[in-house]
mmCIF file of all heavy atoms in Angstrom:
data_model
loop_
_atom_site.group_PDB
_atom_site.id
_atom_site.type_symbol
_atom_site.label_atom_id
_atom_site.label_comp_id
_atom_site.label_asym_id
_atom_site.label_seq_id
_atom_site.Cartn_x
_atom_site.Cartn_y
_atom_site.Cartn_z
ATOM 1 N N LEU A 132 -0.163 5.167 18.407
ATOM 2 C CA LEU A 132 -1.594 4.889 18.189
ATOM 3 C C LEU A 132 -2.465 5.922 18.882
ATOM 4 O O LEU A 132 -2.238 6.263 20.048
ATOM 5 C CB LEU A 132 -1.947 3.491 18.697
ATOM 6 C CG LEU A 132 -1.324 2.329 17.943
ATOM 7 C CD1 LEU A 132 -1.699 1.007 18.581
ATOM 8 C CD2 LEU A 132 -1.732 2.350 16.480
ATOM 9 N N GLY A 133 -3.459 6.435 18.162
ATOM 10 C CA GLY A 133 -4.415 7.362 18.733
ATOM 11 C C GLY A 133 -3.891 8.779 18.900
ATOM 12 O O GLY A 133 -4.551 9.597 19.541
ATOM 13 N N THR A 135 -3.779 11.036 16.732
ATOM 14 C CA THR A 135 -4.725 11.889 16.014
ATOM 15 C C THR A 135 -6.053 11.167 15.995
ATOM 16 O O THR A 135 -6.108 9.951 16.201
ATOM 17 C CB THR A 135 -4.259 12.134 14.546
ATOM 18 O OG1 THR A 135 -4.273 10.885 13.854
ATOM 19 C CG2 THR A 135 -2.874 12.764 14.489
ATOM 20 N N PRO A 136 -7.160 11.883 15.744
ATOM 21 C CA PRO A 136 -8.449 11.185 15.720
ATOM 22 C C PRO A 136 -8.693 10.395 14.434
ATOM 23 O O PRO A 136 -9.546 9.522 14.398
ATOM 24 C CB PRO A 136 -9.468 12.318 15.853
ATOM 25 C CG PRO A 136 -8.747 13.541 15.416
ATOM 26 C CD PRO A 136 -7.296 13.337 15.712
ATOM 27 N N LEU A 137 -7.916 10.690 13.366
ATOM 28 C CA LEU A 137 -8.142 10.071 12.072
ATOM 29 C C LEU A 137 -6.943 9.253 11.632
ATOM 30 O O LEU A 137 -5.800 9.609 11.915
ATOM 31 C CB LEU A 137 -8.440 11.132 11.032
ATOM 32 C CG LEU A 137 -9.662 12.011 11.254
ATOM 33 C CD1 LEU A 137 -9.708 13.135 10.223
ATOM 34 C CD2 LEU A 137 -10.936 11.183 11.229
ATOM 35 N N LEU A 138 -7.224 8.200 10.875
ATOM 36 C CA LEU A 138 -6.180 7.316 10.350
ATOM 37 C C LEU A 138 -6.365 7.173 8.842
ATOM 38 O O LEU A 138 -7.419 6.781 8.375
ATOM 39 C CB LEU A 138 -6.252 5.939 11.003
ATOM 40 C CG LEU A 138 -5.234 4.897 10.513
ATOM 41 C CD1 LEU A 138 -3.822 5.316 10.905
ATOM 42 C CD2 LEU A 138 -5.559 3.537 11.067
ATOM 43 N N VAL A 140 -5.299 5.038 5.704
ATOM 44 C CA VAL A 140 -4.789 3.707 5.419
ATOM 45 C C VAL A 140 -4.256 3.675 3.986
ATOM 46 O O VAL A 140 -5.002 3.926 3.034
ATOM 47 C CB VAL A 140 -5.887 2.635 5.596
ATOM 48 C CG1 VAL A 140 -5.313 1.240 5.341
ATOM 49 C CG2 VAL A 140 -6.513 2.735 6.980
ATOM 50 N N ASN A 207 -1.017 4.638 8.208
ATOM 51 C CA ASN A 207 -0.604 3.263 8.376
ATOM 52 C C ASN A 207 -0.850 2.531 7.075
ATOM 53 O O ASN A 207 -1.195 3.164 6.075
ATOM 54 C CB ASN A 207 -1.350 2.606 9.556
ATOM 55 C CG ASN A 207 -0.479 1.658 10.333
ATOM 56 O OD1 ASN A 207 0.138 0.767 9.736
ATOM 57 N ND2 ASN A 207 -0.419 1.819 11.645
ATOM 58 N N THR A 208 -0.674 1.223 7.062
ATOM 59 C CA THR A 208 -0.868 0.447 5.837
ATOM 60 C C THR A 208 -1.949 -0.598 6.032
ATOM 61 O O THR A 208 -2.239 -1.041 7.151
ATOM 62 C CB THR A 208 0.432 -0.268 5.416
ATOM 63 O OG1 THR A 208 0.738 -1.287 6.370
ATOM 64 C CG2 THR A 208 1.603 0.722 5.304
ATOM 65 N N ASP A 209 -2.518 -1.012 4.919
ATOM 66 C CA ASP A 209 -3.536 -2.059 4.960
ATOM 67 C C ASP A 209 -2.984 -3.363 5.512
ATOM 68 O O ASP A 209 -3.667 -4.095 6.236
ATOM 69 C CB ASP A 209 -4.162 -2.265 3.588
ATOM 70 C CG ASP A 209 -3.148 -2.437 2.461
ATOM 71 O OD1 ASP A 209 -1.921 -2.459 2.698
ATOM 72 O OD2 ASP A 209 -3.589 -2.538 1.301
ATOM 73 N N ASN A 211 -0.568 -3.668 7.818
ATOM 74 C CA ASN A 211 -0.467 -3.552 9.281
ATOM 75 C C ASN A 211 -1.832 -3.695 9.947
ATOM 76 O O ASN A 211 -1.965 -4.320 10.979
ATOM 77 C CB ASN A 211 0.167 -2.211 9.672
ATOM 78 C CG ASN A 211 1.661 -2.187 9.471
ATOM 79 O OD1 ASN A 211 2.298 -3.231 9.256
ATOM 80 N ND2 ASN A 211 2.241 -1.011 9.494
ATOM 81 N N LEU A 212 -2.878 -3.108 9.340
ATOM 82 C CA LEU A 212 -4.217 -3.252 9.910
ATOM 83 C C LEU A 212 -4.724 -4.681 9.801
ATOM 84 O O LEU A 212 -5.418 -5.159 10.681
ATOM 85 C CB LEU A 212 -5.193 -2.305 9.214
ATOM 86 C CG LEU A 212 -5.385 -0.948 9.905
ATOM 87 C CD1 LEU A 212 -4.119 -0.157 9.952
ATOM 88 C CD2 LEU A 212 -6.497 -0.176 9.256
ATOM 89 N N SER A 213 -4.349 -5.364 8.736
ATOM 90 C CA SER A 213 -4.740 -6.774 8.609
ATOM 91 C C SER A 213 -4.029 -7.617 9.664
ATOM 92 O O SER A 213 -4.637 -8.499 10.274
ATOM 93 C CB SER A 213 -4.405 -7.287 7.214
ATOM 94 O OG SER A 213 -4.829 -8.612 7.074
ATOM 95 N N ASN A 214 -2.750 -7.339 9.895
ATOM 96 C CA ASN A 214 -1.995 -8.079 10.907
ATOM 97 C C ASN A 214 -2.410 -7.737 12.330
ATOM 98 O O ASN A 214 -2.363 -8.586 13.217
ATOM 99 C CB ASN A 214 -0.502 -7.815 10.752
ATOM 100 C CG ASN A 214 0.096 -8.482 9.544
ATOM 101 O OD1 ASN A 214 -0.441 -9.476 9.045
ATOM 102 N ND2 ASN A 214 1.203 -7.966 9.053
ATOM 103 N N SER A 215 -2.813 -6.479 12.561
ATOM 104 C CA SER A 215 -3.171 -6.007 13.902
ATOM 105 C C SER A 215 -4.459 -5.193 13.832
ATOM 106 O O SER A 215 -4.428 -3.957 13.896
ATOM 107 C CB SER A 215 -2.036 -5.153 14.481
ATOM 108 O OG SER A 215 -0.841 -5.870 14.544
ATOM 109 N N PRO A 216 -5.590 -5.825 13.716
ATOM 110 C CA PRO A 216 -6.863 -5.109 13.562
ATOM 111 C C PRO A 216 -7.183 -4.150 14.706
ATOM 112 O O PRO A 216 -7.917 -3.183 14.515
ATOM 113 C CB PRO A 216 -7.910 -6.226 13.489
ATOM 114 C CG PRO A 216 -7.163 -7.435 13.083
ATOM 115 C CD PRO A 216 -5.771 -7.281 13.644
ATOM 116 N N SER A 217 -6.625 -4.389 15.885
ATOM 117 C CA SER A 217 -6.919 -3.508 17.026
ATOM 118 C C SER A 217 -6.421 -2.092 16.810
ATOM 119 O O SER A 217 -6.860 -1.161 17.514
ATOM 120 C CB SER A 217 -6.321 -4.077 18.315
ATOM 121 O OG SER A 217 -4.902 -4.103 18.218
ATOM 122 N N ILE A 218 -5.536 -1.874 15.827
ATOM 123 C CA ILE A 218 -5.070 -0.515 15.506
ATOM 124 C C ILE A 218 -6.283 0.390 15.253
ATOM 125 O O ILE A 218 -6.322 1.536 15.676
ATOM 126 C CB ILE A 218 -4.123 -0.531 14.281
ATOM 127 C CG1 ILE A 218 -2.806 -1.216 14.628
ATOM 128 C CG2 ILE A 218 -3.896 0.875 13.738
ATOM 129 C CD1 ILE A 218 -1.893 -1.448 13.427
ATOM 130 N N ILE A 219 -7.277 -0.136 14.554
ATOM 131 C CA ILE A 219 -8.437 0.663 14.159
ATOM 132 C C ILE A 219 -9.149 1.243 15.367
ATOM 133 O O ILE A 219 -9.636 2.379 15.315
ATOM 134 C CB ILE A 219 -9.416 -0.189 13.325
ATOM 135 C CG1 ILE A 219 -8.742 -0.663 12.022
ATOM 136 C CG2 ILE A 219 -10.701 0.567 13.014
ATOM 137 C CD1 ILE A 219 -9.539 -1.689 11.225
ATOM 138 N N SER A 220 -9.198 0.527 16.472
ATOM 139 C CA SER A 220 -9.952 0.964 17.641
ATOM 140 C C SER A 220 -9.386 2.220 18.312
ATOM 141 O O SER A 220 -10.029 2.819 19.171
ATOM 142 C CB SER A 220 -10.026 -0.166 18.678
ATOM 143 O OG SER A 220 -8.735 -0.428 19.217
ATOM 144 N N HIS A 221 -8.219 2.655 17.913
ATOM 145 C CA HIS A 221 -7.588 3.851 18.494
ATOM 146 C C HIS A 221 -7.995 5.127 17.783
ATOM 147 O O HIS A 221 -7.497 6.215 18.111
ATOM 148 C CB HIS A 221 -6.068 3.701 18.470
ATOM 149 C CG HIS A 221 -5.579 2.584 19.349
ATOM 150 N ND1 HIS A 221 -5.295 2.751 20.690
ATOM 151 C CD2 HIS A 221 -5.341 1.278 19.077
ATOM 152 C CE1 HIS A 221 -4.897 1.600 21.198
ATOM 153 N NE2 HIS A 221 -4.924 0.686 20.231
ATOM 154 N N TYR A 222 -8.885 5.043 16.793
ATOM 155 C CA TYR A 222 -9.245 6.197 15.978
ATOM 156 C C TYR A 222 -10.746 6.373 15.905
ATOM 157 O O TYR A 222 -11.496 5.408 15.946
ATOM 158 C CB TYR A 222 -8.642 6.063 14.571
ATOM 159 C CG TYR A 222 -7.142 5.969 14.620
ATOM 160 C CD1 TYR A 222 -6.513 4.731 14.713
ATOM 161 C CD2 TYR A 222 -6.364 7.113 14.670
ATOM 162 C CE1 TYR A 222 -5.135 4.635 14.819
ATOM 163 C CE2 TYR A 222 -4.975 7.039 14.767
ATOM 164 C CZ TYR A 222 -4.376 5.794 14.852
ATOM 165 O OH TYR A 222 -3.013 5.698 14.972
ATOM 166 N N ASN A 223 -11.186 7.641 15.755
ATOM 167 C CA ASN A 223 -12.614 7.933 15.570
ATOM 168 C C ASN A 223 -13.043 7.673 14.133
ATOM 169 O O ASN A 223 -14.209 7.453 13.874
ATOM 170 C CB ASN A 223 -12.914 9.385 15.916
ATOM 171 C CG ASN A 223 -12.657 9.694 17.377
ATOM 172 O OD1 ASN A 223 -12.737 8.813 18.206
ATOM 173 N ND2 ASN A 223 -12.339 10.935 17.668
ATOM 174 N N GLY A 224 -12.088 7.772 13.234
ATOM 175 C CA GLY A 224 -12.395 7.550 11.831
ATOM 176 C C GLY A 224 -11.196 7.038 11.079
ATOM 177 O O GLY A 224 -10.053 7.395 11.407
ATOM 178 N N ILE A 225 -11.437 6.174 10.112
ATOM 179 C CA ILE A 225 -10.357 5.717 9.228
ATOM 180 C C ILE A 225 -10.807 5.972 7.799
ATOM 181 O O ILE A 225 -11.992 5.934 7.498
ATOM 182 C CB ILE A 225 -9.996 4.229 9.433
ATOM 183 C CG1 ILE A 225 -11.155 3.301 9.086
ATOM 184 C CG2 ILE A 225 -9.497 3.978 10.844
ATOM 185 C CD1 ILE A 225 -10.775 1.826 9.073
ATOM 186 N N PHE A 226 -9.852 6.269 6.945
ATOM 187 C CA PHE A 226 -10.198 6.447 5.556
ATOM 188 C C PHE A 226 -9.116 5.930 4.641
ATOM 189 O O PHE A 226 -7.964 5.794 5.010
ATOM 190 C CB PHE A 226 -10.573 7.895 5.229
ATOM 191 C CG PHE A 226 -9.558 8.924 5.590
ATOM 192 C CD1 PHE A 226 -8.680 9.415 4.646
ATOM 193 C CD2 PHE A 226 -9.503 9.447 6.861
ATOM 194 C CE1 PHE A 226 -7.751 10.369 4.953
ATOM 195 C CE2 PHE A 226 -8.580 10.410 7.200
ATOM 196 C CZ PHE A 226 -7.714 10.880 6.233
ATOM 197 N N PHE A 227 -9.562 5.591 3.450
ATOM 198 C CA PHE A 227 -8.711 5.000 2.431
ATOM 199 C C PHE A 227 -8.603 6.020 1.318
ATOM 200 O O PHE A 227 -9.611 6.474 0.786
ATOM 201 C CB PHE A 227 -9.321 3.686 1.924
ATOM 202 C CG PHE A 227 -9.413 2.646 3.020
ATOM 203 C CD1 PHE A 227 -10.489 2.654 3.894
ATOM 204 C CD2 PHE A 227 -8.444 1.684 3.158
ATOM 205 C CE1 PHE A 227 -10.589 1.715 4.921
ATOM 206 C CE2 PHE A 227 -8.528 0.731 4.171
ATOM 207 C CZ PHE A 227 -9.607 0.752 5.050
ATOM 208 N N PHE A 234 -8.118 -6.410 -0.343
ATOM 209 C CA PHE A 234 -8.260 -6.541 1.107
ATOM 210 C C PHE A 234 -8.048 -7.986 1.483
ATOM 211 O O PHE A 234 -8.433 -8.885 0.725
ATOM 212 C CB PHE A 234 -9.693 -6.189 1.529
ATOM 213 C CG PHE A 234 -9.918 -4.774 1.966
ATOM 214 C CD1 PHE A 234 -9.523 -3.704 1.185
ATOM 215 C CD2 PHE A 234 -10.539 -4.515 3.169
ATOM 216 C CE1 PHE A 234 -9.757 -2.415 1.573
ATOM 217 C CE2 PHE A 234 -10.782 -3.215 3.574
ATOM 218 C CZ PHE A 234 -10.392 -2.156 2.787
ATOM 219 N N ARG A 237 -9.433 -10.795 6.754
ATOM 220 C CA ARG A 237 -9.345 -10.260 8.122
ATOM 221 C C ARG A 237 -9.504 -8.749 8.125
ATOM 222 O O ARG A 237 -10.203 -8.185 8.966
ATOM 223 C CB ARG A 237 -7.998 -10.651 8.717
ATOM 224 C CG ARG A 237 -7.847 -10.284 10.165
ATOM 225 C CD ARG A 237 -6.549 -10.851 10.690
ATOM 226 N NE ARG A 237 -6.440 -10.640 12.116
ATOM 227 C CZ ARG A 237 -5.396 -10.956 12.828
ATOM 228 N NH1 ARG A 237 -4.354 -11.503 12.250
ATOM 229 N NH2 ARG A 237 -5.373 -10.748 14.115
ATOM 230 N N LEU A 238 -8.888 -8.042 7.179
ATOM 231 C CA LEU A 238 -9.030 -6.584 7.109
ATOM 232 C C LEU A 238 -10.466 -6.211 6.798
ATOM 233 O O LEU A 238 -11.027 -5.311 7.423
ATOM 234 C CB LEU A 238 -8.080 -6.001 6.063
ATOM 235 C CG LEU A 238 -8.169 -4.491 5.838
ATOM 236 C CD1 LEU A 238 -7.880 -3.730 7.136
ATOM 237 C CD2 LEU A 238 -7.203 -4.053 4.741
ATOM 238 N N PHE A 239 -11.092 -6.890 5.860
ATOM 239 C CA PHE A 239 -12.469 -6.593 5.484
ATOM 240 C C PHE A 239 -13.386 -6.706 6.709
ATOM 241 O O PHE A 239 -14.165 -5.790 7.010
ATOM 242 C CB PHE A 239 -12.943 -7.568 4.387
ATOM 243 C CG PHE A 239 -14.348 -7.351 3.967
ATOM 244 C CD1 PHE A 239 -14.673 -6.361 3.067
ATOM 245 C CD2 PHE A 239 -15.373 -8.141 4.494
ATOM 246 C CE1 PHE A 239 -15.996 -6.165 2.662
ATOM 247 C CE2 PHE A 239 -16.683 -7.962 4.110
ATOM 248 C CZ PHE A 239 -17.018 -6.959 3.190
ATOM 249 N N HIS A 240 -13.280 -7.812 7.436
ATOM 250 C CA HIS A 240 -14.157 -8.007 8.599
ATOM 251 C C HIS A 240 -13.805 -7.057 9.748
ATOM 252 O O HIS A 240 -14.695 -6.659 10.502
ATOM 253 C CB HIS A 240 -14.139 -9.478 9.038
ATOM 254 C CG HIS A 240 -14.862 -10.340 8.062
ATOM 255 N ND1 HIS A 240 -16.242 -10.339 7.900
ATOM 256 C CD2 HIS A 240 -14.406 -11.220 7.141
ATOM 257 C CE1 HIS A 240 -16.598 -11.167 6.970
ATOM 258 N NE2 HIS A 240 -15.509 -11.718 6.471
ATOM 259 N N SER A 241 -12.565 -6.660 9.843
ATOM 260 C CA SER A 241 -12.165 -5.684 10.878
ATOM 261 C C SER A 241 -12.752 -4.308 10.600
ATOM 262 O O SER A 241 -13.182 -3.602 11.522
ATOM 263 C CB SER A 241 -10.637 -5.593 10.959
ATOM 264 O OG SER A 241 -10.088 -6.824 11.323
ATOM 265 N N VAL A 242 -12.770 -3.913 9.335
ATOM 266 C CA VAL A 242 -13.361 -2.624 8.961
ATOM 267 C C VAL A 242 -14.858 -2.650 9.213
ATOM 268 O O VAL A 242 -15.429 -1.685 9.750
ATOM 269 C CB VAL A 242 -13.012 -2.262 7.504
ATOM 270 C CG1 VAL A 242 -13.822 -1.060 7.026
ATOM 271 C CG2 VAL A 242 -11.518 -1.978 7.364
ATOM 272 N N ILE A 243 -15.530 -3.751 8.871
ATOM 273 C CA ILE A 243 -16.973 -3.863 9.132
ATOM 274 C C ILE A 243 -17.251 -3.823 10.630
ATOM 275 O O ILE A 243 -18.157 -3.134 11.092
ATOM 276 C CB ILE A 243 -17.540 -5.181 8.514
ATOM 277 C CG1 ILE A 243 -17.380 -5.196 7.000
ATOM 278 C CG2 ILE A 243 -19.005 -5.396 8.926
ATOM 279 C CD1 ILE A 243 -18.050 -4.081 6.266
ATOM 280 N N ALA A 244 -16.458 -4.537 11.426
ATOM 281 C CA ALA A 244 -16.621 -4.545 12.881
ATOM 282 C C ALA A 244 -16.402 -3.139 13.455
ATOM 283 O O ALA A 244 -17.144 -2.712 14.350
ATOM 284 C CB ALA A 244 -15.670 -5.552 13.527
ATOM 285 N N ALA A 245 -15.408 -2.424 12.944
ATOM 286 C CA ALA A 245 -15.150 -1.061 13.422
ATOM 287 C C ALA A 245 -16.349 -0.154 13.107
ATOM 288 O O ALA A 245 -16.784 0.633 13.965
ATOM 289 C CB ALA A 245 -13.878 -0.511 12.780
ATOM 290 N N ARG A 246 -16.865 -0.292 11.892
ATOM 291 C CA ARG A 246 -18.066 0.496 11.531
ATOM 292 C C ARG A 246 -19.208 0.201 12.481
ATOM 293 O O ARG A 246 -19.918 1.111 12.945
ATOM 294 C CB ARG A 246 -18.475 0.152 10.106
ATOM 295 C CG ARG A 246 -19.725 0.928 9.643
ATOM 296 C CD ARG A 246 -20.501 0.213 8.590
ATOM 297 N NE ARG A 246 -20.946 -1.093 9.063
ATOM 298 C CZ ARG A 246 -21.453 -2.024 8.275
ATOM 299 N NH1 ARG A 246 -21.515 -1.836 6.970
ATOM 300 N NH2 ARG A 246 -21.860 -3.180 8.762
ATOM 301 N N ASN A 247 -19.380 -1.054 12.841
ATOM 302 C CA ASN A 247 -20.482 -1.459 13.718
ATOM 303 C C ASN A 247 -20.324 -0.964 15.138
ATOM 304 O O ASN A 247 -21.304 -0.920 15.885
ATOM 305 C CB ASN A 247 -20.643 -2.978 13.708
ATOM 306 C CG ASN A 247 -21.105 -3.501 12.364
ATOM 307 O OD1 ASN A 247 -21.582 -2.744 11.519
ATOM 308 N ND2 ASN A 247 -20.948 -4.799 12.152
ATOM 309 N N THR A 248 -19.107 -0.570 15.526
ATOM 310 C CA THR A 248 -18.887 -0.012 16.868
ATOM 311 C C THR A 248 -18.821 1.523 16.852
ATOM 312 O O THR A 248 -18.520 2.126 17.860
ATOM 313 C CB THR A 248 -17.584 -0.560 17.500
ATOM 314 O OG1 THR A 248 -16.470 -0.175 16.692
ATOM 315 C CG2 THR A 248 -17.646 -2.062 17.633
ATOM 316 N N GLY A 249 -19.091 2.127 15.687
ATOM 317 C CA GLY A 249 -19.163 3.580 15.631
ATOM 318 C C GLY A 249 -17.959 4.280 15.038
ATOM 319 O O GLY A 249 -17.927 5.507 14.999
ATOM 320 N N VAL A 250 -16.962 3.543 14.571
ATOM 321 C CA VAL A 250 -15.827 4.179 13.904
ATOM 322 C C VAL A 250 -16.296 4.609 12.527
ATOM 323 O O VAL A 250 -16.900 3.852 11.795
ATOM 324 C CB VAL A 250 -14.631 3.208 13.791
ATOM 325 C CG1 VAL A 250 -13.505 3.823 12.980
ATOM 326 C CG2 VAL A 250 -14.130 2.786 15.171
ATOM 327 N N ASN A 251 -16.036 5.865 12.185
ATOM 328 C CA ASN A 251 -16.407 6.385 10.872
ATOM 329 C C ASN A 251 -15.437 5.866 9.825
ATOM 330 O O ASN A 251 -14.235 5.802 10.050
ATOM 331 C CB ASN A 251 -16.393 7.912 10.893
ATOM 332 C CG ASN A 251 -17.458 8.465 11.795
ATOM 333 O OD1 ASN A 251 -18.636 8.253 11.567
ATOM 334 N ND2 ASN A 251 -17.045 9.165 12.843
ATOM 335 N N ILE A 252 -15.979 5.484 8.672
ATOM 336 C CA ILE A 252 -15.185 4.954 7.566
ATOM 337 C C ILE A 252 -15.454 5.821 6.346
ATOM 338 O O ILE A 252 -16.602 6.131 6.039
ATOM 339 C CB ILE A 252 -15.568 3.497 7.222
ATOM 340 C CG1 ILE A 252 -15.694 2.615 8.463
ATOM 341 C CG2 ILE A 252 -14.641 2.925 6.168
ATOM 342 C CD1 ILE A 252 -14.412 2.285 9.146
#
Side-chain angles (χ1 to χ4, degrees):
L132 293 178
T135 64
L137 300 173
L138 178 67
V140 182
N207 216 308
T208 68
D209 49 4
N211 284 346
L212 267 62
S213 183
N214 288 337
S215 301
S217 64
I218 291 172
I219 298 171
S220 67
H221 295 273
Y222 300 92
N223 297 332
I225 64 171
F226 55 97
F227 297 83
F234 265 52
R237 186 174 186 184
L238 177 59
F239 179 82
H240 289 289
S241 298
V242 170
I243 298 300
R246 180 207 60 193
N247 293 345
T248 62
V250 174
N251 294 298
I252 314 290

